[in-house]
Amino acid sequence: MNNNNNNSNDNPLLVQMTKDELIRDVEQVVRKVVNQIQIEQQALKNEKLTYTRDETAEILNVSLTTLHNWNKKEILKPCAKIGRNVYYSKNDIQARLNA
């Protein structure tokens, strides 16, 4: 019995293209990859490691009074205080969300 199925493994597709066309196609692929890497790197740069009291309260869906009480009870303590500004670490906030 003769099996004449067109499996891509059995019959490779051959395409004729010029050197310039090949270079153009490779450049397009490389450009797409580089753009994706740049987007991912920009997202990492924009990712915050600390949050203000207001941001933290919003993320945790609690009031500023609750944050103050959690600080007193050592449930969630700020990681830094600069002047009158209090900051909470991203990891501590995430741990509280998971609790």
Side-chain angles (χ1 to χ4, degrees):
M1 183 171 12
N2 217 355
N3 190 353
N4 287 333
N5 289 344
N6 287 333
N7 293 336
S8 60
N9 294 337
D10 298 335
N11 298 317
L13 178 63
L14 299 177
V15 178
Q16 289 185 347
M17 61 176 27
T18 67
K19 175 183 164 188
D20 290 338
E21 290 172 328
L22 177 61
I23 290 171
R24 185 194 70 231
D25 287 353
V26 170
E27 285 175 344
Q28 285 178 342
V29 171
V30 170
R31 234 181 266 115
K32 285 180 184 179
V33 170
V34 168
N35 286 340
Q36 185 61 35
I37 290 170
Q38 288 174 336
I39 290 168
E40 290 171 4
Q41 286 178 339
Q42 188 62 40
L44 287 174
K45 285 180 187 177
N46 292 339
E47 188 174 312
K48 295 175 78 170
L49 299 178
T50 59
Y51 293 88
T52 65
R53 283 175 22 104
D54 289 337
E55 291 171 329
T56 301
E58 185 177 330
I59 291 168
L60 295 173
N61 196 28
V62 298
S63 68
L64 293 176
T65 303
T66 299
L67 275 184
H68 177 76
N69 291 335
W70 285 356
N71 181 22
K72 295 284 185 196
K73 295 176 182 177
E74 298 188 1
I75 294 171
L76 180 64
K77 298 205 53 86
C79 68
K81 184 174 181 183
I82 301 173
R84 295 174 51 196
N85 298 319
V86 175
Y87 298 92
Y88 293 84
S89 79
K90 177 183 175 181
N91 292 338
D92 291 345
I93 295 169
Q94 190 62 48
R96 187 68 203 152
L97 285 171
N98 294 335

